[in-house]
Amino acid sequence: MPRHHVYMKQKTLDGIRRLVDERKNEGAGTSEANISSVAAELLEVGLRVTEQIRKKEKEQENNDGITDEERYQHRLLEECIKSRLASQEVLRLIFSIPEIKDDTRNDFSRLKDSLKQDVIKIMEMTLPDKN
């Protein structure tokens, strides 16, 4: 591993020493928890963060100020809204047909309540509460 001298602020060095002490208290050996290894790890993380920020800035430059992820989320939301509106219109049309409207087995209000309950169940299964 190459060596290089790096100058840092005292506050930074103190933070690194705190991390070393925490790791030693958690049971890490001196080869795993020393100033050099912790500083190298922090530099690697900082480098990755900097590269991600630059990547995001490049995406924004190429995509009129939004990232690829934001563009994807926008399109997904757009498609969900279109699907919902189309479904509502189809249901409205179906329930406006006299034969369906007159049949007591078909109740639009009951269908709406049932759909809401199904959505709640699916959302709870998909995104459980963390409480």
mmCIF file of all heavy atoms in Angstrom, residues 4-20 34-40 42-43:
data_model
loop_
_atom_site.group_PDB
_atom_site.id
_atom_site.type_symbol
_atom_site.label_atom_id
_atom_site.label_comp_id
_atom_site.label_asym_id
_atom_site.label_seq_id
_atom_site.Cartn_x
_atom_site.Cartn_y
_atom_site.Cartn_z
ATOM 1 N N HIS A 4 1.544 8.151 1.894
ATOM 2 C CA HIS A 4 1.511 9.563 1.520
ATOM 3 C C HIS A 4 1.221 10.376 2.770
ATOM 4 O O HIS A 4 0.373 10.007 3.569
ATOM 5 C CB HIS A 4 0.433 9.814 0.459
ATOM 6 C CG HIS A 4 0.604 11.103 -0.236
ATOM 7 N ND1 HIS A 4 1.523 11.283 -1.224
ATOM 8 C CD2 HIS A 4 -0.015 12.287 -0.076
ATOM 9 C CE1 HIS A 4 1.457 12.525 -1.651
ATOM 10 N NE2 HIS A 4 0.528 13.154 -0.958
ATOM 11 N N HIS A 5 1.932 11.454 2.916
ATOM 12 C CA HIS A 5 1.693 12.323 4.063
ATOM 13 C C HIS A 5 0.520 13.235 3.750
ATOM 14 O O HIS A 5 0.442 13.828 2.683
ATOM 15 C CB HIS A 5 2.927 13.176 4.380
ATOM 16 C CG HIS A 5 4.077 12.370 4.871
ATOM 17 N ND1 HIS A 5 4.134 11.870 6.140
ATOM 18 C CD2 HIS A 5 5.204 11.957 4.252
ATOM 19 C CE1 HIS A 5 5.253 11.181 6.297
ATOM 20 N NE2 HIS A 5 5.918 11.217 5.150
ATOM 21 N N VAL A 6 -0.390 13.326 4.708
ATOM 22 C CA VAL A 6 -1.575 14.158 4.527
ATOM 23 C C VAL A 6 -1.681 15.080 5.729
ATOM 24 O O VAL A 6 -1.569 14.651 6.876
ATOM 25 C CB VAL A 6 -2.852 13.281 4.421
ATOM 26 C CG1 VAL A 6 -4.085 14.148 4.306
ATOM 27 C CG2 VAL A 6 -2.746 12.333 3.251
ATOM 28 N N TYR A 7 -1.892 16.346 5.463
ATOM 29 C CA TYR A 7 -2.098 17.309 6.536
ATOM 30 C C TYR A 7 -3.595 17.493 6.732
ATOM 31 O O TYR A 7 -4.353 17.571 5.780
ATOM 32 C CB TYR A 7 -1.438 18.647 6.188
ATOM 33 C CG TYR A 7 0.063 18.525 6.067
ATOM 34 C CD1 TYR A 7 0.665 18.369 4.830
ATOM 35 C CD2 TYR A 7 0.863 18.545 7.202
ATOM 36 C CE1 TYR A 7 2.035 18.233 4.716
ATOM 37 C CE2 TYR A 7 2.235 18.414 7.099
ATOM 38 C CZ TYR A 7 2.823 18.260 5.851
ATOM 39 O OH TYR A 7 4.181 18.135 5.741
ATOM 40 N N MET A 8 -4.007 17.523 7.982
ATOM 41 C CA MET A 8 -5.432 17.670 8.294
ATOM 42 C C MET A 8 -5.596 18.567 9.505
ATOM 43 O O MET A 8 -4.654 18.790 10.267
ATOM 44 C CB MET A 8 -6.066 16.304 8.532
ATOM 45 C CG MET A 8 -5.546 15.569 9.741
ATOM 46 S SD MET A 8 -6.198 13.922 9.907
ATOM 47 C CE MET A 8 -5.108 13.007 8.853
ATOM 48 N N LYS A 9 -6.791 19.031 9.676
ATOM 49 C CA LYS A 9 -7.111 19.876 10.829
ATOM 50 C C LYS A 9 -7.123 19.019 12.091
ATOM 51 O O LYS A 9 -7.385 17.810 12.039
ATOM 52 C CB LYS A 9 -8.482 20.520 10.638
ATOM 53 C CG LYS A 9 -8.543 21.476 9.477
ATOM 54 C CD LYS A 9 -9.936 22.026 9.311
ATOM 55 C CE LYS A 9 -10.008 22.911 8.091
ATOM 56 N NZ LYS A 9 -11.352 23.367 7.805
ATOM 57 N N GLN A 10 -6.883 19.654 13.206
ATOM 58 C CA GLN A 10 -6.873 18.945 14.485
ATOM 59 C C GLN A 10 -8.233 18.313 14.758
ATOM 60 O O GLN A 10 -8.323 17.207 15.264
ATOM 61 C CB GLN A 10 -6.488 19.911 15.621
ATOM 62 C CG GLN A 10 -6.341 19.237 16.969
ATOM 63 C CD GLN A 10 -5.220 18.215 16.995
ATOM 64 O OE1 GLN A 10 -4.126 18.462 16.500
ATOM 65 N NE2 GLN A 10 -5.486 17.046 17.586
ATOM 66 N N LYS A 11 -9.288 19.027 14.385
ATOM 67 C CA LYS A 11 -10.653 18.514 14.595
ATOM 68 C C LYS A 11 -10.865 17.200 13.839
ATOM 69 O O LYS A 11 -11.483 16.266 14.356
ATOM 70 C CB LYS A 11 -11.654 19.576 14.124
ATOM 71 C CG LYS A 11 -13.088 19.252 14.375
ATOM 72 C CD LYS A 11 -13.984 20.402 13.905
ATOM 73 C CE LYS A 11 -15.439 20.069 14.080
ATOM 74 N NZ LYS A 11 -16.323 21.135 13.606
ATOM 75 N N THR A 12 -10.317 17.119 12.627
ATOM 76 C CA THR A 12 -10.432 15.900 11.823
ATOM 77 C C THR A 12 -9.668 14.754 12.487
ATOM 78 O O THR A 12 -10.181 13.639 12.591
ATOM 79 C CB THR A 12 -9.901 16.147 10.392
ATOM 80 O OG1 THR A 12 -10.605 17.248 9.821
ATOM 81 C CG2 THR A 12 -10.065 14.922 9.527
ATOM 82 N N LEU A 13 -8.462 15.034 12.933
ATOM 83 C CA LEU A 13 -7.656 14.020 13.605
ATOM 84 C C LEU A 13 -8.345 13.533 14.876
ATOM 85 O O LEU A 13 -8.368 12.328 15.159
ATOM 86 C CB LEU A 13 -6.263 14.564 13.920
ATOM 87 C CG LEU A 13 -5.305 13.600 14.615
ATOM 88 C CD1 LEU A 13 -5.073 12.358 13.755
ATOM 89 C CD2 LEU A 13 -3.986 14.297 14.927
ATOM 90 N N ASP A 14 -8.937 14.453 15.617
ATOM 91 C CA ASP A 14 -9.663 14.068 16.838
ATOM 92 C C ASP A 14 -10.837 13.146 16.503
ATOM 93 O O ASP A 14 -11.094 12.177 17.213
ATOM 94 C CB ASP A 14 -10.165 15.305 17.585
ATOM 95 C CG ASP A 14 -9.028 16.147 18.159
ATOM 96 O OD1 ASP A 14 -7.897 15.623 18.290
ATOM 97 O OD2 ASP A 14 -9.277 17.337 18.465
ATOM 98 N N GLY A 15 -11.545 13.456 15.414
ATOM 99 C CA GLY A 15 -12.658 12.605 14.992
ATOM 100 C C GLY A 15 -12.188 11.214 14.607
ATOM 101 O O GLY A 15 -12.832 10.212 14.944
ATOM 102 N N ILE A 16 -11.060 11.134 13.916
ATOM 103 C CA ILE A 16 -10.510 9.828 13.528
ATOM 104 C C ILE A 16 -10.111 9.047 14.774
ATOM 105 O O ILE A 16 -10.385 7.846 14.887
ATOM 106 C CB ILE A 16 -9.320 10.008 12.565
ATOM 107 C CG1 ILE A 16 -9.814 10.553 11.223
ATOM 108 C CG2 ILE A 16 -8.580 8.697 12.365
ATOM 109 C CD1 ILE A 16 -8.706 10.958 10.264
ATOM 110 N N ARG A 17 -9.490 9.725 15.723
ATOM 111 C CA ARG A 17 -9.085 9.053 16.975
ATOM 112 C C ARG A 17 -10.314 8.521 17.726
ATOM 113 O O ARG A 17 -10.273 7.433 18.295
ATOM 114 C CB ARG A 17 -8.297 10.018 17.855
ATOM 115 C CG ARG A 17 -6.889 10.219 17.367
ATOM 116 C CD ARG A 17 -6.082 11.051 18.343
ATOM 117 N NE ARG A 17 -4.712 11.158 17.875
ATOM 118 C CZ ARG A 17 -3.959 12.237 17.979
ATOM 119 N NH1 ARG A 17 -4.444 13.321 18.565
ATOM 120 N NH2 ARG A 17 -2.734 12.255 17.524
ATOM 121 N N ARG A 18 -11.407 9.299 17.714
ATOM 122 C CA ARG A 18 -12.639 8.827 18.375
ATOM 123 C C ARG A 18 -13.150 7.549 17.700
ATOM 124 O O ARG A 18 -13.560 6.607 18.375
ATOM 125 C CB ARG A 18 -13.720 9.910 18.331
ATOM 126 C CG ARG A 18 -13.667 10.896 19.471
ATOM 127 C CD ARG A 18 -14.949 11.733 19.596
ATOM 128 N NE ARG A 18 -15.356 12.388 18.352
ATOM 129 C CZ ARG A 18 -14.888 13.545 17.916
ATOM 130 N NH1 ARG A 18 -13.981 14.201 18.607
ATOM 131 N NH2 ARG A 18 -15.330 14.063 16.780
ATOM 132 N N LEU A 19 -13.113 7.535 16.372
ATOM 133 C CA LEU A 19 -13.554 6.334 15.654
ATOM 134 C C LEU A 19 -12.667 5.136 15.978
ATOM 135 O O LEU A 19 -13.159 4.020 16.165
ATOM 136 C CB LEU A 19 -13.554 6.587 14.139
ATOM 137 C CG LEU A 19 -14.645 7.499 13.601
ATOM 138 C CD1 LEU A 19 -14.416 7.783 12.120
ATOM 139 C CD2 LEU A 19 -16.014 6.880 13.802
ATOM 140 N N VAL A 20 -11.355 5.363 16.050
ATOM 141 C CA VAL A 20 -10.422 4.285 16.403
ATOM 142 C C VAL A 20 -10.745 3.759 17.797
ATOM 143 O O VAL A 20 -10.828 2.538 18.012
ATOM 144 C CB VAL A 20 -8.957 4.774 16.309
ATOM 145 C CG1 VAL A 20 -8.006 3.749 16.917
ATOM 146 C CG2 VAL A 20 -8.583 5.059 14.862
ATOM 147 N N ASN A 34 -6.784 1.442 13.646
ATOM 148 C CA ASN A 34 -5.666 2.363 13.851
ATOM 149 C C ASN A 34 -5.912 3.597 12.991
ATOM 150 O O ASN A 34 -6.780 3.604 12.110
ATOM 151 C CB ASN A 34 -4.317 1.709 13.546
ATOM 152 C CG ASN A 34 -4.252 1.184 12.135
ATOM 153 O OD1 ASN A 34 -4.432 1.932 11.181
ATOM 154 N ND2 ASN A 34 -4.006 -0.118 12.000
ATOM 155 N N ILE A 35 -5.175 4.638 13.268
ATOM 156 C CA ILE A 35 -5.414 5.904 12.573
ATOM 157 C C ILE A 35 -5.272 5.735 11.065
ATOM 158 O O ILE A 35 -6.082 6.245 10.291
ATOM 159 C CB ILE A 35 -4.477 7.005 13.114
ATOM 160 C CG1 ILE A 35 -4.917 7.374 14.543
ATOM 161 C CG2 ILE A 35 -4.495 8.233 12.223
ATOM 162 C CD1 ILE A 35 -4.062 8.408 15.218
ATOM 163 N N SER A 36 -4.286 4.993 10.630
ATOM 164 C CA SER A 36 -4.045 4.835 9.200
ATOM 165 C C SER A 36 -5.205 4.124 8.493
ATOM 166 O O SER A 36 -5.688 4.586 7.457
ATOM 167 C CB SER A 36 -2.750 4.044 8.984
ATOM 168 O OG SER A 36 -2.521 3.862 7.613
ATOM 169 N N SER A 37 -5.670 3.013 9.057
ATOM 170 C CA SER A 37 -6.748 2.257 8.390
ATOM 171 C C SER A 37 -8.063 3.027 8.399
ATOM 172 O O SER A 37 -8.794 3.033 7.409
ATOM 173 C CB SER A 37 -6.931 0.885 9.041
ATOM 174 O OG SER A 37 -7.377 1.008 10.370
ATOM 175 N N VAL A 38 -8.358 3.698 9.507
ATOM 176 C CA VAL A 38 -9.599 4.469 9.589
ATOM 177 C C VAL A 38 -9.538 5.666 8.637
ATOM 178 O O VAL A 38 -10.502 5.951 7.918
ATOM 179 C CB VAL A 38 -9.881 4.919 11.040
ATOM 180 C CG1 VAL A 38 -11.044 5.899 11.098
ATOM 181 C CG2 VAL A 38 -10.171 3.708 11.918
ATOM 182 N N ALA A 39 -8.403 6.351 8.576
ATOM 183 C CA ALA A 39 -8.261 7.488 7.668
ATOM 184 C C ALA A 39 -8.375 7.033 6.218
ATOM 185 O O ALA A 39 -9.030 7.697 5.402
ATOM 186 C CB ALA A 39 -6.927 8.187 7.909
ATOM 187 N N ALA A 40 -7.785 5.895 5.873
ATOM 188 C CA ALA A 40 -7.880 5.377 4.505
ATOM 189 C C ALA A 40 -9.323 5.033 4.162
ATOM 190 O O ALA A 40 -9.805 5.328 3.057
ATOM 191 C CB ALA A 40 -6.982 4.155 4.352
ATOM 192 N N LEU A 42 -12.038 6.378 5.484
ATOM 193 C CA LEU A 42 -12.779 7.630 5.340
ATOM 194 C C LEU A 42 -12.467 8.313 4.008
ATOM 195 O O LEU A 42 -13.356 8.885 3.371
ATOM 196 C CB LEU A 42 -12.476 8.565 6.510
ATOM 197 C CG LEU A 42 -13.007 8.112 7.879
ATOM 198 C CD1 LEU A 42 -12.479 9.028 8.973
ATOM 199 C CD2 LEU A 42 -14.513 8.070 7.890
ATOM 200 N N LEU A 43 -11.219 8.243 3.570
ATOM 201 C CA LEU A 43 -10.855 8.807 2.276
ATOM 202 C C LEU A 43 -11.572 8.083 1.141
ATOM 203 O O LEU A 43 -12.050 8.708 0.189
ATOM 204 C CB LEU A 43 -9.344 8.742 2.067
ATOM 205 C CG LEU A 43 -8.527 9.789 2.821
ATOM 206 C CD1 LEU A 43 -7.033 9.475 2.717
ATOM 207 C CD2 LEU A 43 -8.806 11.170 2.282
#
